[in-house]
Amino acid sequence: MSNKVILPGQTIGIIGGGQLGKMMALSAKAMGYRVAVLDPAEDSPCGQVADITIIDAYDSFEGIKELEAVSDVITYEFENISAEALDWLCSHAYVPQGKELLEITQNRITEKAAISASGSAVAPYAVIQTENDIYDNIEKLGLPAVLKTARGGYDGKGQYVLKDESDIAEAAKLLQNGPCVLEQFISFHKEISVIIFRSPSGEKAVLPVAENVHKDNILHQTIVPARISGKAAEKAIMAAEHLAEKLNLTGTLAVEMFLTDEDEIFINELAPRPHNSGHYSIEACETSQFEQHIRAVCNLPLGSMSLLKPAVMVNILGEHQEPLLARIPALYNWKVHLYGKKEAKFKRKMGHITLLRDHVEEALAEAEHTGIWSCSKERIGG
Ligand code: AMP
């Protein structure tokens, strides 16, 4: 527990200049903080709104030292910070989130072990080092199964769904990137997430349970309130609270879960930062996930996260940007967020939209009706 408070006027250093950094920075700026960001790109989304931009690799000691020199507190929007850079930062700078949780979540093997050790369920899995390990474990886990690289995968990258044994050789190519985990395929009823916050002084807050729809392993929609039973929602929040407690959370923890027909919960993945499935909170909650993250790392009192209105968030990937822009003049009461990324690559997260309506079904139908997500071609501009 710490009583150190970072006040508006002081500088928050953010490692990573993507959209999460940008939305953290916008909240921090609204509260009167100064923001410094470290990112290798010249014109990163966060760099466009920060007071100070340090352009260097995430694991460059020069860059990390420069960030430390101008910041009163350091946070991150990005998990893959090198162990050396993190060690240096934790001994030279004020990093209230510490490094343990970040290190655990950098690797699916340590992450699953920590979740299991805390008493929560994960999909049955095995650690895979060789192609033979896949053969051996397919017998135990059954098919279909999902092979995932232990490190560095995101948005479905570094994953392979095995449907039968003939897929093994192709899937095994993932081992070129290091050890993997093989998971039993869970035939879930819903994917949900819970984002939880804890300040250094021990105060806690949690966002309402979000229902998530993925397309091609990338988050497509978040629907809140989640269309699940009250009992399942209670169970999901308790699971996230339990993990936050066991993992000694300071800052933000996003917990992605699979919910089965029997309301059984399997924890799929953790992220120690604001999460795509919490973007709806910018407009739909009394305090957004980004403001709450800033409050937590600065040790300010946490805000209420009550839902103000049912909400649907839909991601804008590269192929959706043109159709969205073409329709903007006719979109009433749409909250459009574009992150300021120069190149609209296929499947790249370019922005998101949020609709607040009286019922989530109304918002879903309205989004669907525009055709933005169905008319897009595989090639941008095609
Ligand atoms: P991940 O990168 O682990 O979050 O996986 C991306 C998406 O792939 C998840 O949100 C699910 O839709 C799907 N997925 C991953 N692992 C499994 C699994 N064990 N069983 C069923 N679906 C999965």
Side-chain angles (χ1 to χ4, degrees), residues 108 112 123-124 145-146 148 153-157 159 161 183-188 191 212-219 256 258 268-269:
R108 289 190 193 270
K112 284 182 188 297
V146 193
K148 301 179 182 179
Y154 68 98
D155 287 345
K157 296 190 177 78
Q159 292 197 17
V161 179
E183 286 176 33
Q184 192 175 88
F185 195 87
I186 303 292
S187 67
F188 50 78
E191 287 192 78
N212 299 317
V213 178
H214 289 80
K215 273 192 189 167
D216 301 327
N217 286 349
I218 302 176
L219 183 66
E256 289 186 72
F258 300 135
N268 175 36
E269 208 172 24

Side-chain angles (χ1 to χ4, degrees), residues 56-363:
D56 213 334
Y58 305 115
D59 51 3
S60 141
F61 264 92
E62 293 304 309
I64 292 274
K65 282 180 184 158
E66 229 181 293
L67 186 70
E68 183 277 329
V70 297
S71 302
D72 296 293
V73 60
I74 303 264
T75 185
Y76 50 83
E77 62 125 37
F78 167 85
E79 280 127 295
N80 293 316
I81 305 164
S82 76
E84 297 79 26
L86 202 56
D87 277 343
W88 187 88
L89 264 180
C90 287
S91 48
H92 292 82
Y94 178 52
V95 188
Q97 291 161 275
K99 63 178 182 179
E100 285 79 13
L101 183 55
L102 186 72
E103 283 173 342
I104 289 171
T105 58
Q106 282 177 341
N107 185 320
R108 289 190 193 270
I109 300 171
T110 49
E111 181 175 294
K112 284 182 188 297
I115 298 168
S116 304
S118 78
S120 293
V122 295
Y125 75 101
V127 175
I128 303 292
Q129 308 279 1
T130 65
E131 191 170 332
N132 269 344
D133 290 346
I134 307 181
Y135 281 97
D136 294 346
N137 285 288
I138 285 282
E139 286 186 10
K140 289 178 219 147
L141 298 171
L143 285 168
V146 193
L147 189 70
K148 301 179 182 179
T149 54
R151 282 183 177 271
Y154 68 98
D155 287 345
K157 296 190 177 78
Q159 292 197 17
Y160 196 102
V161 179
L162 294 105
K163 299 202 175 75
D164 57 60
E165 287 211 359
S166 66
D167 290 330
I168 293 180
E170 189 58 31
K173 288 185 182 160
L174 285 181
L175 288 164
Q176 289 163 4
N177 307 315
C180 290
V181 294
L182 184 69
E183 286 176 33
Q184 192 175 88
F185 195 87
I186 303 292
S187 67
F188 50 78
H189 166 56
K190 296 265 184 211
E191 287 192 78
I192 55 174
S193 57
V194 176
I195 308 177
I196 185 158
F197 306 80
R198 192 163 165 275
S199 67
S201 59
E203 203 186 342
K204 277 178 262 167
V206 65
L207 272 174
V209 181
E211 172 184 342
N212 299 317
V213 178
H214 289 80
K215 273 192 189 167
D216 301 327
N217 286 349
I218 302 176
L219 183 66
H220 171 54
Q221 281 171 336
T222 295
I223 301 162
V224 188
R227 294 164 300 172
I228 59 175
S229 69
K231 199 177 109 231
E234 220 172 274
K235 228 170 137 177
I237 287 180
M238 272 172 60
E241 282 176 344
H242 182 74
L243 275 167
E245 189 74 38
K246 292 284 179 186
L247 298 174
N248 210 7
L249 172 69
T250 300
T252 302
L253 181 68
V255 186
E256 289 186 72
M257 311 175 189
F258 300 135
L259 181 71
T260 69
D261 279 330
E262 291 75 39
D263 281 352
E264 204 180 346
I265 285 174
F266 293 97
I267 310 292
N268 175 36
E269 208 172 24
L270 305 177
R273 50 161 174 79
H275 191 257
N276 194 170
S277 67
H279 291 358
Y280 76 92
S281 63
I282 296 174
E283 288 93 5
C285 294
E286 239 180 295
T287 305
S288 79
Q289 64 166 347
F290 298 105
E291 180 183 339
Q292 199 76 300
H293 179 78
I294 297 299
R295 288 181 165 276
V297 296
C298 294
N299 210 4
L300 298 186
L302 299 184
S304 154
M305 305 205 88
S306 305
L307 187 69
L308 303 172
K309 205 162 177 180
V312 169
M313 184 284 319
V314 194
N315 270 334
I316 302 297
L317 305 183
E319 61 273 32
H320 307 135
Q321 185 166 273
E322 270 187 25
L324 170 75
L325 291 175
R327 288 161 178 79
I328 278 189
L331 297 175
Y332 294 95
N333 219 0
W334 280 43
K335 304 294 183 187
V336 176
H337 297 253
L338 289 169
Y339 305 141
K341 296 182 187 177
K342 285 260 143 49
E343 215 188 324
K345 291 187 197 150
F346 182 60
K347 298 285 178 214
R348 186 181 198 195
K349 287 177 180 169
M350 302 302 291
H352 70 269
I353 62 98
T354 301
L355 301 184
L356 306 186
R357 299 292 183 266
D358 291 335
H359 304 282
V360 294
E361 270 71 20
E362 197 183 318

